Amino acid sequence: MVGLRKCAAILAFAFIAAASMVSPKETNAQVIAFDARTGHYYYGQFYIGVTWLDARWYAVNHNYQVPPAHLATIKDSTENAIVSRIVDIMADFTGCWGAWIGGYDLSDAHNRFEWTTPELFTYTNWAPGEPNNAGGKEVVMEMSAYTGGLWNDVPLDATFGNRGPWVEEYEPSQVTLLSMTGPTTINSPKTVNYTVTLAAPAPPGGAILFIHSDIPAIAEALPQTIKIPAGSTSMVLSPVVAQTVGFNQTGYVRVYGKNKKSLTVTVTP
Ligand code: 2F8
Ligand code: CA
């Protein structure tokens, strides 16, 4: 990836959610949404001048979060509406015409679109007259801004019209969490242990869980994800409270699987 241009004016960090939400580390230019029905997260990436191919690569390979995401693949109108809100917010900031999502037609048979994942291309929400394969080379797909989530096919190399933002989808582990236990008052600096317990042993391949805290003294030291090995039911996290705080910091320490478990924690000087 060369020449990736992040929209410089963006300092906003917006959240939308169907029922719950999470904030990431690492970037100040994302919109995040969560579909409580499926447990999937959606990240709007505020870039411009990025082709669909590069956006696809970036969604899978960047390190904003682990495990990798993919360009959003849309299975129904509820999911389409979630992604559409992200696209509109990004358009407010970038002036883009839309954002890349994960549909493409790289076969010779035009207008036979597929998702970049193995999911079936059944639900569609094309704009009237689309996909029209304008100019004979429209083989990738965007969701157009301010249309209520209508889709359009666009050339593979398109960056005109401030094209480049994309929406990616992250599918965390679907394991059910039973509990998280650990100290709720911490006199810093101190190493603290939190234990995460699953409702059933982690499946083959293990369970990758997303962790987050909004307490600066803890967030600095937390891993962003943990992997509970296959067959294990619980695991101890060992975040280190890295620095002595000057005043009380209260917030949450939270772990996400199919559901989430939180503790309200206060770090004291
Ligand atoms: O950017 C290419 C794009 O141009 C138009 O939309 C702005 C075409 N729409 C119509 O012709 C109605 C799109 O089909 C085309 O992909
Ligand atoms: Ca088109």
Side-chain angles (χ1 to χ4, degrees):
M1 289 292 291
V2 288
L4 199 65
R5 187 156 57 103
K6 197 148 198 167
C7 186
I10 303 303
L11 293 173
F13 191 176
F15 301 95
I16 59 176
S20 182
M21 57 183 74
V22 62
S23 57
K25 298 191 286 189
E26 304 288 330
T27 178
N28 59 1
Q30 289 184 327
V31 183
I32 296 178
F34 178 62
D35 187 340
R37 304 170 309 157
T38 58
H40 294 189
Y41 294 85
Y42 301 84
Y43 294 75
Q45 303 289 5
F46 287 67
Y47 290 87
I48 53 177
V50 177
T51 65
W52 182 91
L53 271 181
D54 281 349
R56 181 180 71 164
W57 183 92
Y58 218 65
V60 172
N61 292 289
H62 71 57
N63 60 2
Y64 296 157
Q65 68 274 329
V66 178
H70 56 78
L71 286 179
T73 55
I74 298 179
K75 274 81 68 188
D76 60 33
S77 59
T78 301
E79 190 176 18
N80 202 66
I82 291 170
V83 174
S84 171
R85 290 177 67 192
I86 295 176
V87 172
D88 289 355
I89 290 169
M90 292 202 291
D92 287 345
F93 285 98
T94 66
C96 63
W97 291 11
W100 301 129
I101 56 175
Y104 72 115
D105 172 15
L106 297 180
S107 69
D108 288 338
H110 284 297
N111 302 340
R112 293 243 313 265
F113 276 75
E114 307 166 26
W115 296 120
T116 57
T117 62
E119 295 158 285
L120 295 178
F121 199 89
T122 46
Y123 168 81
T124 63
N125 198 41
W126 295 108
E130 306 292 349
N132 62 353
N133 192 28
K137 56 175 191 172
E138 297 201 310
V139 293
V140 296
M141 193 174 147
E142 67 183 356
M143 181 181 285
S144 302
Y146 310 132
T147 61
L150 295 175
W151 305 352
N152 175 39
D153 59 341
V154 186
L156 188 59
D157 59 356
T159 55
F160 54 87
N162 269 358
R163 286 187 164 97
W166 68 89
V167 181
E168 57 195 52
E169 182 175 355
Y170 165 57
E171 303 176 11
S173 172
Q174 292 300 293
V175 298
T176 301
L177 306 175
L178 195 62
S179 65
M180 181 170 62
T181 57
T184 53
T185 303
I186 303 164
N187 300 315
S188 64
K190 190 178 178 184
T191 301
V192 288
N193 295 317
Y194 290 98
T195 301
V196 177
T197 304
L198 307 180
I208 295 174
L209 305 175
F210 192 85
I211 305 166
H212 192 255
S213 176
D214 62 351
I215 306 169
I218 290 183
E220 285 296 314
L222 270 184
Q224 206 167 6
T225 59
I226 53 164
K227 182 172 181 177
I228 299 186
S232 294
T233 310
S234 70
M235 185 166 167
V236 178
L237 316 182
S238 299
V240 177
V241 178
Q243 60 207 16
T244 303
V245 297
F247 51 90
N248 283 3
Q249 293 182 2
T250 298
Y252 61 77
V253 176
R254 188 173 291 163
V255 61
Y256 297 82
K258 186 173 184 180
N259 57 339
K260 64 187 177 190
K261 292 292 173 186
S262 293
L263 286 173
T264 299
V265 173
T266 300
V267 181
T268 64

